[in-house]
């Protein structure tokens, strides 16, 4: 076990976390095909309806982190994430949820079939549920570390907007509001999250667990896309 | 078992919940003595330092409810409670936490001894932890129902401010900002919480569980005060 090793210095720790970028779903074959314009409308619909299930649970995942975190400053800073996805009480239209629903409509789904989750396949459900369970049951700092995929997402989403507009002529820029908005939200490339992880993971063991948490999250996303790819190929 | 009984109508259900008011800690002997001006400074300090532990976990309890709740509208409405206790990222001074700390200082505690929880006795810790565990592990609507003690708290706190100002001459109105502020926050006497509970507890069994949840919460608060009373009597 590595528990007897000295902790990595900050730079080394961050490098180890960043070193997981190749595990991020940006390199998944389904995403490659998406960006290349090779997905059928059916495949895009399966993707959008299934990823909805993931989008849906993000506020609950973030609330689990707040629930488990005894540090008021961290809780205060994390709260915006819930508002980002759920919207504020007086402006539902501005939520991440709503932007994802618009994308679903753009690819030809109606709201009802998205909201009732009829298209969500078991593999996606299991992976996403595992993520929420992780956030609810593991130490809060590991759950925070699992969200460090935001270090990798900005680059992918910037490419996505360009590639989807170029390769799917029926998709308009406003349909991609989820991504254009999200690009701004992760513009810091996870800097503030990384700062929290570096600050609170001070032993080698805590650092190892943070790396494992990020690795786990990469597995969650990758498995989702595996299940989506398989489901989409069926029809 | 009552699961085969028909559900209560709304009015009857609300009456059953309100019927628990005699179990609320407003009638606890320690509170009676507090209001009568009979507590020593030492007793007030034990009370304030122990109740701090309760105040501290409220944002985490509320985040657990949000984490477990799949209804976006409820989540959006509930979020303000976290902000109420923790404060927003840019205004720590306005938080319920901070107002409680000020009260602690007013009764002669310094911040360090409150924050490090050295005065928190096991009985208080167990009761409060049980409340957070309840919110984390029970269906969200039961956790919401457990918060219905806010139906009973406005009356108690209004009396408290008057009685404490009248009976403890060294306590000033601004020291009681936690209560004066909280009186406003619960001015609706739990109406919005009650609306959620009535709306989502539609079967007799769900109603019974909501009543049990409120009863449980009354036990939590009462036990806290029992433990505080015992600890305060020791010196």
């Amino acid at each position: 076990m590595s528990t007897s090793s000295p902790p990595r210095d900050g730079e080394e720790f961050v490098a180890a976390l960043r070193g997981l970028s190749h595990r991020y779903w940006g390199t998944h074959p389904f995403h490659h095909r998406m960006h290349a314009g090779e997905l059928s409308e059916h495949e895009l619909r399966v993707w959008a309806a299934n990823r909805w299930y993931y989008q849906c649970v993000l506020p609950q995942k973030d609330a689990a982190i707040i629930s488990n975190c005894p540090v008021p400053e961290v809780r205060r800073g994390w709260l915006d994430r819930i508002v980002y996805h759920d919207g504020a009480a007086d402006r539902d239209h501005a939520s991440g949820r709503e932007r994802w629903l618009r994308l679903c409509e753009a690819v030809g789904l109606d709201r009802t079939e998205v909201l009732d989750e009829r298209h969500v396949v078991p593999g996606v459900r299991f992976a996403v549920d595992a993520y929420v369970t992780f956030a609810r049951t593991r130490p809060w700092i590991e759950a925070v570390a699992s969200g460090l995929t935001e270090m990798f997402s900005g680059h992918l989403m910037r490419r996505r907007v360009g590639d989807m507009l170029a390769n799917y002529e029926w998709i308009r820029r406003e349909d991609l509001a989820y991504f254009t908005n999200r690009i701004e939200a992760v513009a810091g490339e996870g800097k503030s999250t990384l700062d929290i992880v570096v600050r609170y993971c001070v032993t080698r063991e805590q650092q190892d667990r943070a790396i494992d948490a990020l690795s786990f999250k990469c597995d969650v996303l990758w498995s989702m896309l595996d299940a989506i790819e398989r489901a989409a190929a069926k029809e």
Side-chain angles (χ1 to χ4, degrees), chain A:
Chain A
M1 289 297 292
S2 58
T3 48
S4 56
S5 309
R8 298 164 183 86
D9 67 31
E11 216 169 299
E12 211 185 335
F13 181 33
V14 170
L17 291 163
R18 284 200 207 285
L20 292 171
S21 66
H22 66 284
R23 305 266 312 279
Y24 185 58
W25 65 358
T27 57
H28 193 286
F30 191 83
H31 273 156
H32 278 308
R33 291 182 55 227
M34 177 184 294
H35 286 244
E38 293 170 12
L39 295 186
S40 67
E41 290 189 38
H42 170 71
E43 286 173 311
L44 282 171
R45 282 196 285 272
V46 171
W47 165 71
N50 273 277
R51 180 157 161 183
W52 165 253
Y53 187 69
Y54 173 72
Q55 299 304 130
C56 256
V57 304
L58 293 176
Q60 291 175 265
K61 180 271 296 179
D62 287 317
I65 290 172
I66 293 174
S67 178
N68 291 331
C69 176
V71 187
E73 308 87 83
V74 173
R75 291 200 301 259
R76 273 181 220 120
W78 209 260
L79 208 65
D80 281 347
R81 292 165 186 260
I82 299 181
V83 177
Y84 181 87
H85 290 293
D86 261 348
D90 51 353
R91 48 179 180 94
D92 183 23
H93 61 285
S95 66
R97 273 177 75 78
E98 188 58 32
R99 285 187 289 270
W100 194 267
L101 281 173
R102 282 187 200 171
L103 177 60
C104 289
E105 290 175 316
V107 297
L109 293 157
D110 63 47
R111 272 175 188 248
T112 317
E113 67 186 317
V114 180
L115 290 170
D116 70 14
E117 302 173 1
R118 76 183 73 161
H119 302 299
V120 179
V121 299
V124 167
R125 204 173 281 273
F126 298 151
V128 170
D129 290 351
Y131 185 38
V132 180
T133 300
F134 186 92
R136 286 186 181 144
T137 58
R138 304 292 290 241
W140 68 273
I141 191 64
E142 292 182 38
V144 166
S146 74
L148 280 173
T149 41
E150 70 195 46
M151 291 193 298
F152 315 133
S153 64
H155 176 67
L156 177 66
M157 291 192 290
R158 276 189 297 273
R159 272 204 299 126
R160 177 157 307 158
V161 170
D163 288 347
M164 288 188 87
L165 289 176
N167 295 323
Y168 304 89
E169 58 182 19
W170 41 278
I171 291 182
R172 299 157 306 165
R173 176 165 286 272
E174 56 266 39
D175 298 331
L176 299 174
Y178 178 83
F179 295 113
T180 49
N181 199 288
R182 192 75 196 142
I183 288 167
E184 279 175 55
V186 299
E189 294 183 333
K191 173 84 170 65
S192 67
T193 310
L194 202 52
D195 287 346
I196 296 170
V197 172
V198 171
R199 179 168 175 194
Y200 289 94
C201 294
V202 292
T203 69
R204 178 81 180 197
E205 194 187 0
Q206 288 168 331
Q207 292 176 340
D208 287 346
R209 286 189 184 167
I211 295 165
D212 287 348
L214 179 54
S215 171
F216 159 78
K217 170 69 178 300
C218 289
D219 287 343
V220 166
L221 297 179
W222 197 275
S223 296
M224 278 177 65
L225 222 38
D226 277 351
I228 287 169
E229 184 176 50
R230 200 167 302 118
K234 272 188 184 162
E235 200 181 328

